[in-house]
Each structure stands twice: as structure tokens, then as C-alpha cells.
Amino acid sequence: MDLQAISQEAKRNYGRAVKDFKQVRRETWHNEIMILKQQFKFVSKIVRKKKVVYLVKKNQLTMKNTLMIIFVVVTLSIIIWNLISYLSDISSGGEYSRINHFFIAVITTILSVILIDFARRIDKISWKQLNLSPIRTNILSFLVGLILWAIPALIGLVICLMVGWVEITVKTDFNHLVLSLLILFITVFLIEALPEEIIFRGYIYRYLNIWFPHWMTLILQTLLFSLFGYFIGAIYSLEQLLFIPGFAFILGYFRAVSGNVWTAIGFHVAIMTATQILSRLHDHFDVSGIFTLQFLAFILLPSVLSAIALDFIYPKHNWHKKELYL
């Protein structure tokens, strides 16, 4: 074997040795990185738990205190809504007035915001600590809630009309209808969607989620909202008895998965505006098959399809997670 052949063989051996060394070093680095990741996750869990304990102790928050806070807020909310109902009956004289309805809505929102602001000042926490996002994020979440109701509801409406389950006759001109719809939308936002959501899916949900995972918090806020509905006289029929707990559940579901109460507000204001504008109280439409329309197009389809859509939009939601008390 000549020197040239020996040199080429040596080069090949050297190349293989370098390649084997790089492979071994790469595998070693990979193993070390995986070990570091596992150590980091372990340390993060410890830090997170200690942080929760520290913050809870710092704010002197216990399970007993949490339940007491929630009881007081729910009780005051019931008093506010009954007071609003009493003022509405006195001012309207038993007859519906669009202007009266609007001003009662404004008063409801003001009293609700004062209630939550008073509660958070006693708790010594900020609005941001209640998990309220920046304005732009809230607007986008609100629009998502609107769209999640509107698209399935439109599909359901078309199905009901095509099959013949529902017949709708318009009794008013277009301009008057649009103006009435706009005023009703704002009124529903102020008298129902905003105050109810910031109290139950905002303040109360946040406090419950400190101690309970999302799935348990969802059930508890459903029960609390149903009790609230009973004591303000909203559960006056079998339909309402079935509707209110289901409505509270789907709104809580939106709040949990999206992480933003404004998604629930958007869905809430959309469904209630559509339901009320079609009622005989406003006298814009004659609707045959109103129960089928409300159940299928306004409640069932939007609830099911939007819940599925939310799972695609927020695929990483953890139902067993608790929120830090920040």
C-alpha cells in the first residue's frame, strides 16, 4: 500500500471520527437541554405555588373571605336589580317606554360599576387585577362574541324560514326599525349584558377561579347566576327555568375559554337584542313559531357552534387551571 492510499484512508477515518464526535456531542447537548427543561418546569411549579401562597397571604384572602365577598356582592346585586325593577314600574306606569327603558339601563350600569368599584377598593385591588384587558383587546373580544352568535343565528333563521317552521312579517319601515334596533342594542348592553357580566363572569368568576379550577368555577357561577335570576323574579316560567342556567353556563364557558369577559358580553347583548326586537312589545314584527325560532336559531345553534369555534380559536385552554391572584 503506497503513501497516497494510506493518506486517503487516514482522511476518511478522521472524517468519520469527527462526524461521530459531533453526533455524540449533539446527543449530549440534547439530553442536557431536556434535563434543564424538566428542572425549569419543576422550579416554575414551585415558584408559582409559592407566589400564589404569598399573594393570598399578602391580601389576607382565605376561602371563607372569598365566599363572604361573593355572598355580599350577589346580595347587593339582587337589591340593585329589584330596586331598578321597582323604579321602572313606577316611572313607566306599567306601559313600555323606550326612553324610560334607556334611562333605567343607564342607572343599572352606573350602580353596577359603583358596586364593583366599591368592592375592589375594599379588596385593595385594581381593575386590571380583575383580569380586564386593554381596550383594544376588549373590543375585539366583544366583536368575537357578537359574531359567534350572529353567524349561527343567521343560519338557524334561514333554516327555520325555508322549512316553514317560522314566518316573519315586518310591520314597520326600514329606517324606524334600524333606529329602534340601535337604541335597543345600547339599552340591552347597559341594562343586562355589561352589568351582569362584569359582576358574574368578571368579578365573581375571578374570585372563584382563585380557589377552584375553571370547570368547577363554571358550574359555581352558573348556580349563583341562577339564584340571582330567581331572586330578581326572572325565573317566572318553565322556559325561563331551563333557559337561565343554560344561558349562564354558555356565558361562563365563553369567559373561561376566551379568558375575557367581553366575549360573553358580546354574545349576551346579541342574543337578547334579537330576542327582544322580535317580541310584541316593540311591535315591529309578526312572528309565527317564535318559540322554535328562539330555541333553535337563537339559543341552540349559536351555543353549540360557537362553543366548537372557541375550542378552535383557543385550543390550549386548560380546564384544570386556577388563576393567580395578581
Side-chain angles (χ1 to χ4, degrees), residues 62-75 203:
T62 64
M63 176 76 76
K64 182 179 179 180
N65 290 343
T66 301
L67 296 177
M68 181 61 67
I69 290 169
I70 291 173
F71 173 78
V72 171
V73 170
V74 172
T75 301
Y203 186 86

Side-chain angles (χ1 to χ4, degrees), residues 163-181:
V163 175
W165 293 336
V166 175
E167 293 182 1
I168 300 177
T169 304
V170 182
K171 299 171 59 178
T172 186
D173 64 273
F174 180 76
N175 292 334
H176 185 218
L177 177 60
V178 171
L179 178 61
S180 180
L181 183 62

Side-chain angles (χ1 to χ4, degrees), residues 50-106:
K50 287 185 176 180
K51 188 177 182 182
V52 173
V53 171
Y54 168 73
L55 289 168
V56 168
K57 286 183 177 179
K58 180 182 177 182
N59 291 275
Q60 298 180 342
L61 186 69
T62 64
M63 176 76 76
K64 182 179 179 180
N65 290 343
T66 301
L67 296 177
M68 181 61 67
I69 290 169
I70 291 173
F71 173 78
V72 171
V73 170
V74 172
T75 301
L76 291 177
S77 299
I78 291 171
I79 293 172
I80 289 173
W81 258 259
N82 280 296
L83 175 63
I84 290 297
S85 178
Y86 176 73
L87 293 176
S88 178
D89 291 340
I90 292 177
S91 59
S92 65
E95 295 182 0
Y96 178 77
S97 169
R98 189 187 310 174
I99 296 176
N100 179 71
H101 195 199
F102 177 80
F103 281 109
I104 289 296
V106 173

Side-chain angles (χ1 to χ4, degrees), residues 189-285:
F189 175 80
L190 294 174
I191 202 170
E192 294 185 43
L194 179 62
E196 290 178 3
E197 297 309 313
I198 63 171
I199 292 174
F200 287 93
R201 260 67 64 177
Y203 186 86
I204 290 176
Y205 191 101
R206 188 72 176 90
Y207 265 90
L208 287 172
N209 202 203
I210 296 169
W211 300 102
F212 305 102
H214 282 293
W215 68 269
M216 178 63 74
T217 302
L218 176 60
I219 295 173
L220 292 175
Q221 67 85 31
T222 299
L223 294 175
L224 288 172
F225 189 76
S226 300
L227 286 173
F228 166 77
Y230 173 78
F231 283 109
I232 67 171
I235 302 179
Y236 50 81
S237 65
L238 178 60
E239 290 81 4
Q240 286 295 99
L241 180 61
L242 297 175
F243 170 72
I244 287 182
F247 192 43
F249 184 88
I250 193 64
L251 291 173
Y253 184 92
F254 286 0
R255 159 62 179 88
V257 177
S258 69
N260 194 308
V261 69
W262 282 89
T263 309
I265 293 174
F267 190 91
H268 192 150
V269 72
I271 185 175
M272 297 312 297
T273 300
T275 300
Q276 293 181 32
I277 197 68
L278 291 175
S279 68
R280 295 180 179 179
L281 188 64
H282 294 273
D283 201 32
H284 295 303
F285 301 92

